[in-house]
């Protein structure tokens, strides 16, 4: 991901870039420092520097993507929420792997839909004297397989 986690320079031909070009968005030149406008509207890597208890948890994980460009598109800070490191590395990662296996085993045509979200607790991660990121109280994920194969072997976990 490098230090430019907020956008991808040269993003012109990939379909996942379309959402990044809506409105007055612009491609930023490579830089080690985020533009002030970006810092006003979203998290930047520096926001995690003192958040020792938290890691960056992907809402749309790369393991749910097959195409390398689609995998790469998941590594933006707009696809991340702060998660307690132990929860992310143990419980949540295991759950994401279970979902991935179920979608791969049960979905005919490999088409599926996944929606992930959070509810915030009201607590925030601060950088300096500023509230920068809401800390999730709950992280949830729902998935749908339109062409479910009922004859696939059941795998509980």
């Amino acid at each position: 991901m490098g230090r430019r986690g907020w956008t991808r320079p040269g993003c012109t031909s990939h379909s996942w870039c379309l959402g990044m070009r809506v409105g007055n968005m612009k491609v930023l030149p490579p830089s080690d420092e985020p533009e002030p406008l970006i810092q006003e509207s979203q998290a930047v890597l520096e926001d995690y520097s003192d958040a020792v208890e938290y890691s960056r948890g992907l809402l749309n994980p790369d393991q749910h993507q097959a195409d390398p460009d689609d995998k790469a598109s998941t590594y933006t800070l707009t696809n991340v929420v702060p998660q307690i490191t132990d929860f992310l590395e143990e419980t949540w990662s295991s759950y994401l792997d279970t979902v991935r296996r179920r979608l791969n085993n049960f979905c005919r045509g490999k088409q599926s839909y996944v929606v992930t979200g959070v509810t915030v607790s009201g607590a925030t991660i601060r950088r300096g004297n500023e509230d920068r990121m809401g800390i999730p109280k709950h992280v949830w994920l729902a998935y749908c397989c339109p062409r479910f194969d009922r004859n696939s072997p059941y795998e509980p976990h």
Side-chain angles (χ1 to χ4, degrees), residues 12 71 77 92 94 102 113 144:
T12 56
K71 284 182 176 293
L77 288 175
W92 189 247
S94 175
R102 287 181 181 169
Y113 301 93
C144 172

Side-chain angles (χ1 to χ4, degrees), residues 3-146:
R3 295 202 29 105
R4 292 182 316 274
W6 50 87
T7 189
R8 181 179 172 144
C11 183
T12 56
S13 63
H14 302 291
S15 62
W16 58 265
C17 295
L18 296 177
M20 294 170 51
R21 293 188 303 202
V22 174
N24 295 325
M25 296 291 290
K26 65 178 181 174
V27 174
L28 298 175
S31 170
D32 284 341
E33 295 297 322
E35 282 194 11
L37 184 59
I38 299 265
Q39 289 191 67
E40 290 176 19
S41 61
Q42 70 182 59
V44 294
L45 285 175
E46 289 80 10
D47 293 330
Y48 285 91
S49 62
D50 292 329
V52 180
E53 187 179 351
Y54 297 91
S55 294
R56 298 182 303 263
L58 299 176
L59 291 171
N60 175 16
D62 69 337
Q63 65 184 6
H64 288 181
Q65 310 303 318
D67 182 78
D69 286 335
D70 293 340
K71 284 182 176 293
S73 74
T74 67
Y75 289 97
T76 60
L77 288 175
T78 55
N79 183 45
V80 168
V81 294
Q83 291 182 359
I84 294 175
T85 303
D86 289 344
F87 170 76
L88 176 63
E89 292 175 355
E90 297 168 15
T91 308
W92 189 247
S93 292
S94 175
Y95 179 66
L96 292 176
D97 190 53
T98 298
V99 169
R100 179 191 52 79
R101 286 194 319 270
R102 287 181 181 169
L103 294 175
N104 286 342
N105 291 340
F106 295 113
C107 289
R108 292 184 194 154
K110 304 298 182 201
Q111 182 181 24
S112 59
Y113 301 93
V114 180
V115 179
T116 308
V118 299
T119 61
V120 292
S121 62
T124 60
I125 293 175
R126 297 176 60 82
R127 182 165 48 107
N129 293 326
E130 187 178 355
D131 291 338
R132 292 294 299 162
M133 297 179 292
I135 298 172
K137 183 175 185 177
H138 301 284
V139 181
W140 56 267
L141 181 142
Y143 61 92
C144 172
C145 181

